[in-house]
Every structure is written in structure tokens, then in C-alpha cells.
Amino acid sequence: MRPCFPGLLLAALFSAGCEPFADSPIYFHGLALREDGTPFSHTGLTVEGSRPLASGVPREVPEYVPHAVTSTRGNGAFSVEILAGDVMTYVDGRKTRDRPTYRDRYRVATPLENGRGTVLSFTQGAGGGDAELPVMQVWAANLARAESPTGPVLTFAPLPPEPKAPMGVTQREYTSTPEAPELKPALTPLPILRIQEATGVVWEEREAASPWALTPWRLEDFTSVEAQVRVVSAGEWRRTPVISAESWLTFRQEWRSERLPLPTGTLRPLSRGAACHPELSAPCPFTDGALTSHAIEDVWPGAQTPSAAPLRVGIRLDTSARLSRLVVRNLKTSAAELLVEGSEEGTQWFELARRPLAPQNPQSTSSHNFRELAQSDSPWDPPLLSGPLSVRYFLDIPLTDARPVRFVRLSPLWGGNTLISVVSLAELSLFEVAPP
């Protein structure tokens, strides 16, 4: 198979071919464009591959190693050559994953332009035919901080369009089911707004919309804070040629905005340095402002046993206070609802708030799975935290009951009243009712 220009791949439909051997080359054809639509002409692009892991071996960040450097033509077109046995799990009926050069997936990124860029992760599921990659055009995000009648906001440009299948290629479609009627196509661009500090993630919100309220309790008193919007899309494209081998391309595209420095927050939570509930002999890791996620079983060893009731995680203040708001950062739980309770003495509890959650969606498609699998594929930015396969919550919860409390706890629920465990948590912040 010989490389061809984007837009001319249809000609390959009629070229002679057959199922490839492990060392047969497959060509992936792409197009790299600047944010104004002009090409990245005669520009070197680095192609990298992710080493596979043995089954059951955890790794948060994939190990990408260089594969090749390809150069764009004058119109921004480029081609990547990969051997079939280095990208397909099975070739000619034989397993190729054990080849030393096999890679789980590959990635290629545009150069950064004004701090913006796009990266594409991809693999070949079956067929062994050449494939055309989604157009890689940088997104002119124009992320900015602005003032509004209700306070400061973040604004950004309309999202990039979803990747369009080239002529002769079909997008794999999924039908909603009664169990997952609201499942959005993975191809639909998903915006994720992230606020990052040197020590951790201040905020991460999926489906963020412009303008986005930059409230003081979201920023607290964190320093050296930056905001960014990242947009992700994933899909599966099938090309069925007349004679030559078909191709199943699975891909994930991510666009990044520039990073926008934000002013240092000025609101210190009432709960900073407060004790945990249940009580610990050590300082509470959820009120120190360090933004580090901690597994509950590590904080309270032995408390989360199969026979024990799930632990309700909370805070004990030094003195009682009338609270107006709870901010929860990087909460992991499989619950469908979060009940927030308060108490004066730690024995009699009453409801302060309830918040619906969006637990893991078991109906996720293979495109959704690949979108989340490649959460760490950006060559420029830290891994994204949350997705349908592993939900992390950043919650801003108003508290309506104005009675003074000294204790506040989280009760994750499923099915209305079944208590569910908190798996991990980074920070709990309580804010006092402002004096009249």
C-alpha cells in the first residue's frame, strides 16, 4: 500500500490488496491546520506510540516512545507509516501484542500556536487497510477573564466542530437504550474546564459553558492558579473498499486552549485546618488546602471492610457556626446522590443539602471507553480526572439550613437511602454565612 494525499484516499478503494502480514505497512493520512485554517506547511510532526502494559498493571500516565518524525507538505498533509503488527492486536489470525514494537495506540500533535494545539490518539482495530485521520486544526479558544453584573467570569470561543468522516468512510453509530437514554455520542465535542494550582487540581468541570462563573469560593485562597479549557471527541471510522482490506480506525482528538493565569483567591474557608470526623490522631488531610487526593481506606485503615457500614466522611469545627456553602473537591464515589448533614454535638444529624450525582455509566460505548482511556495522552497537560468510567466530582453546594453546626458529614446514597462508600477525596471547604 502506498501513501496518498488526504481527499484522494477514495482512489485506494479500487486498488488491489488483501489482508496484511504483520510487517505490511499501513498508511495513516492526516492534515494539520493552524487556527485560521491555513496549513502547517513543511512542518515536522513527531509520532509516538504507547507501550502496552501487562494485564492488571496500573499506570496513570502512558509511556509514549518515539515512533517517527513525519513532515507535512505545503498544504499541511502528512502520512504516517506503521506496520500492521505494531498497531493491530491480531494479524492474519495471529496475536501480535507480544511484539516488542507493538503499541496500544499512537499519537501525533500539532505545534503549539499562541499556547493552543490539538493532539490525536489513534489505533487500528481491524482490517489492515490505509486510513484517513480527522483534520487536526488548532482551536482559537480565546480564553479570557471578564467582569459581569454578577462578578468575574471565564469566557471562551464556540467549540470546534466534531470530526467529519471523509468520503467513503462511515462513522460507527450507537443506539440509545432504556438503560442509557441520555448517552451523548462520544464524537460530540466535550468541553472540560480545569483550574490548576501547583499542588493539584482546584476545579474540573465537564460540559462547562461560556461564560463560567469564577466565584470566590471556587478559588478560595489558592495561589499561582491557571485556567484552561480542553475539548475532547472520539469516534470509530470504517472504510470498506471494493477490493483492498477494510480499516477500522479508533481515535480521540483533544483541543487545548491557552493557560490563563488568574488572580490569587482571597477567601479562606472557615474549615481550613479543622479536624476530620470521625476523629483522627493526625491532622485532617481534607482541610489542609493541599489538594492531594486521599483514599479513605488509607486515612481510616480498616474502616472500609465488607462487613462494616460505609464510612461517612466529614469535618469537626472548633466552634459552632452558621454555614452558607460547602465546596467538595475531587470526590470519588459510585453514589447517585450526595446527602450533606450537619450536627451540633455529633450525634443528632439533620439535612443541610442534597445533590444529584452522575454515577458511572455501564452503557458506555467503545468510543466512550477510548475517549476515557486516552485521558492522559496530551503531551502538554496533566491527565484529565473525570469520565463516565471513573467519575470525580467537584461540587459547589449552597447550604440552606441556617442553624449553627459544629459537625458536617457526607452521606453518599444509592436508590434513595442506601449508603455508599466514599472512595477518595481531596478537599472539603466550609464557608460561613456573611454577617448582616
Side-chain angles (χ1 to χ4, degrees):
M1 300 175 192
R2 295 186 296 180
C4 60
F5 292 95
L8 300 181
L9 194 57
L10 255 179
L13 296 177
F14 300 96
S15 62
C18 57
E19 290 297 322
F21 297 107
D23 290 330
S24 298
I26 300 175
Y27 292 96
F28 298 86
H29 308 286
L31 185 66
L33 302 177
R34 300 179 183 275
E35 59 186 28
D36 62 0
T38 59
F40 280 105
S41 301
H42 307 293
T43 302
L45 304 178
T46 300
V47 182
E48 299 171 297
S50 172
R51 293 185 190 274
L53 276 180
S55 178
V57 177
R59 183 176 66 196
E60 291 187 3
V61 179
E63 182 188 359
Y64 271 99
V65 295
H67 169 72
V69 176
T70 184
S71 182
T72 63
R73 305 173 184 91
N75 64 350
F78 65 92
S79 296
V80 179
E81 177 184 336
I82 304 174
L83 300 183
D86 292 346
V87 66
M88 297 172 59
T89 306
Y90 287 90
V91 178
D92 197 25
R94 296 181 177 88
K95 185 177 180 180
T96 58
R97 188 178 175 85
D98 295 331
R99 284 167 58 106
T101 52
Y102 173 84
R103 302 292 180 253
D104 278 332
R105 57 189 181 273
Y106 291 80
R107 74 178 180 190
V108 60
T110 66
L112 288 181
E113 186 179 25
N114 301 318
R116 308 161 188 159
T118 181
V119 58
L120 186 73
S121 307
F122 63 93
T123 188
Q124 180 88 298
D130 294 351
E132 195 163 351
L133 302 172
V135 173
M136 300 177 63
Q137 181 171 352
V138 176
W139 173 45
N142 297 323
L143 181 62
R145 181 182 182 274
E147 293 295 332
S148 76
T150 57
V153 296
L154 292 176
T155 62
F156 49 92
L159 303 182
E162 69 178 39
K164 183 180 179 181
M167 188 178 300
V169 173
T170 57
Q171 161 69 29
R172 186 173 185 178
E173 302 290 347
Y174 292 91
T175 304
S176 297
T177 65
E179 294 80 13
E182 302 299 327
L183 188 62
K184 287 187 177 181
L187 197 64
T188 302
L190 171 68
I192 303 170
L193 186 144
R194 185 165 184 157
I195 298 178
Q196 183 89 28
E197 198 230 24
T199 60
V201 181
V202 175
W203 201 266
E204 184 175 293
E205 185 170 318
R206 297 165 70 90
E207 303 282 5
S210 176
W212 187 82
L214 200 60
T215 58
W217 43 86
R218 285 175 174 171
L219 290 181
E220 291 189 16
D221 56 350
F222 298 114
T223 61
S224 303
V225 176
E226 293 181 319
Q228 186 181 39
V229 179
R230 294 158 67 178
V231 182
V232 295
S233 171
E236 294 172 272
W237 286 354
R238 183 189 185 193
R239 180 173 61 82
T240 307
V242 176
I243 301 175
S244 60
E246 71 171 351
S247 68
W248 269 112
L249 176 76
T250 302
F251 66 87
R252 175 189 186 274
Q253 188 165 3
E254 178 176 326
W255 299 264
R256 81 182 304 256
S257 78
E258 59 272 67
R259 293 181 182 173
L260 178 68
L262 297 177
T264 297
T266 58
L267 186 61
R268 183 179 177 87
L270 177 68
S271 54
R272 182 64 55 77
C276 277
H277 177 76
E279 188 174 354
L280 292 173
S281 57
C284 183
F286 308 125
T287 62
D288 58 6
L291 297 172
T292 303
S293 179
H294 296 273
I296 299 305
E297 62 182 11
D298 293 337
V299 178
W300 286 278
Q304 302 278 52
T305 63
S307 59
L311 191 70
R312 291 179 168 95
V313 178
I315 295 174
R316 175 177 59 82
L317 299 172
D318 290 337
T319 59
S320 298
R322 295 171 61 243
L323 303 176
S324 63
R325 191 170 298 270
L326 166 67
V327 173
V328 183
R329 303 184 196 270
N330 206 353
L331 166 69
K332 185 177 182 180
T333 179
S334 58
E337 184 180 34
L338 184 64
L339 170 64
V340 182
E341 298 176 293
S343 175
E344 172 66 31
E345 72 297 318
T347 56
Q348 300 295 319
W349 297 86
F350 55 89
E351 181 177 323
L352 293 175
R354 284 179 182 263
R355 174 64 61 88
L357 302 178
Q360 174 179 330
N361 192 333
Q363 302 297 319
S364 293
T365 67
S366 55
S367 293
H368 289 87
N369 295 347
F370 191 76
R371 187 177 71 185
E372 311 309 328
L373 176 69
Q375 294 269 59
S376 305
D377 279 5
S378 171
W380 311 293
D381 302 309
L384 295 167
L385 294 177
S386 189
L389 306 181
S390 179
V391 183
R392 305 292 182 99
Y393 297 101
F394 290 76
L395 304 172
D396 177 3
I397 305 176
L399 305 178
T400 55
D401 196 309
R403 282 179 285 178
V405 296
R406 192 179 172 208
F407 296 83
V408 174
R409 70 181 185 185
L410 307 181
S411 297
L413 301 175
W414 182 271
N417 55 12
T418 301
L419 192 64
I420 299 294
S421 299
V422 172
V423 178
S424 61
L425 177 67
E427 200 79 15
L428 290 176
S429 299
L430 294 170
F431 296 92
E432 199 170 7
V433 173

